Amino acid sequence: MYYHVILMRFAPAVTAQQAEHALHALGQLRAQIPQMLSYSYGPNDPDNPHQRGFSHGFVMGFAGRAERDLYQQHPAHLDFIGTHLEPLLDEAVVFDFADLGGRA
């Protein structure tokens, strides 16, 4: 599996409900983008002292990097990000990795 992880700090005026609605709607893209094999999202646990202001995050699973690339170039993704998510964000951190499956 290949994972696409995003941590988000929403703009101060964005409510938790608005943030969670946007992240829920992002997951609905799975119906249009078959490369998305899994999607999980949620707010950061407030007792985490290392959150650095990032309040929400999501993880997407793909078969590989090529499938993640197809997702990122998909018109439905580009439209959603540009019109529904980016306007709400103050900052985001992206972290992509291939699961090594315990190979350490």
Side-chain angles (χ1 to χ4, degrees), residues 4 6 10 20 30 34-35 37 42 48 51 54 56 63 65 67-68 70-71 75 80 89 95 97 102:
H4 181 58
I6 308 239
F10 284 91
E20 290 174 25
R30 286 179 70 188
Q35 290 81 14
L37 300 179
N48 181 341
Q51 61 183 306
F54 293 97
H56 291 76
R65 185 176 179 176
E67 288 77 13
R68 189 276 325 256
L70 288 171
Y71 154 78
F80 184 88
L89 292 177
F95 190 88
F97 70 95

Side-chain angles (χ1 to χ4, degrees), residues 31-96:
Q32 299 174 56
I33 306 173
Q35 290 81 14
M36 286 176 62
L37 300 179
S38 64
Y39 176 77
S40 299
Y41 73 96
N44 189 37
D45 189 337
D47 73 350
N48 181 341
H50 305 289
Q51 61 183 306
R52 297 187 183 192
F54 293 97
S55 63
H56 291 76
F58 69 81
V59 178
M60 290 180 179
F62 299 90
R65 185 176 179 176
E67 288 77 13
R68 189 276 325 256
D69 291 347
L70 288 171
Y71 154 78
Q72 287 188 315
Q73 298 166 12
H74 196 283
H77 167 256
L78 294 173
D79 178 60
F80 184 88
I81 297 301
T83 61
H84 295 95
L85 195 55
E86 280 183 352
L88 302 177
L89 292 177
D90 191 24
E91 185 177 1
V93 173
V94 180
F95 190 88
D96 294 328

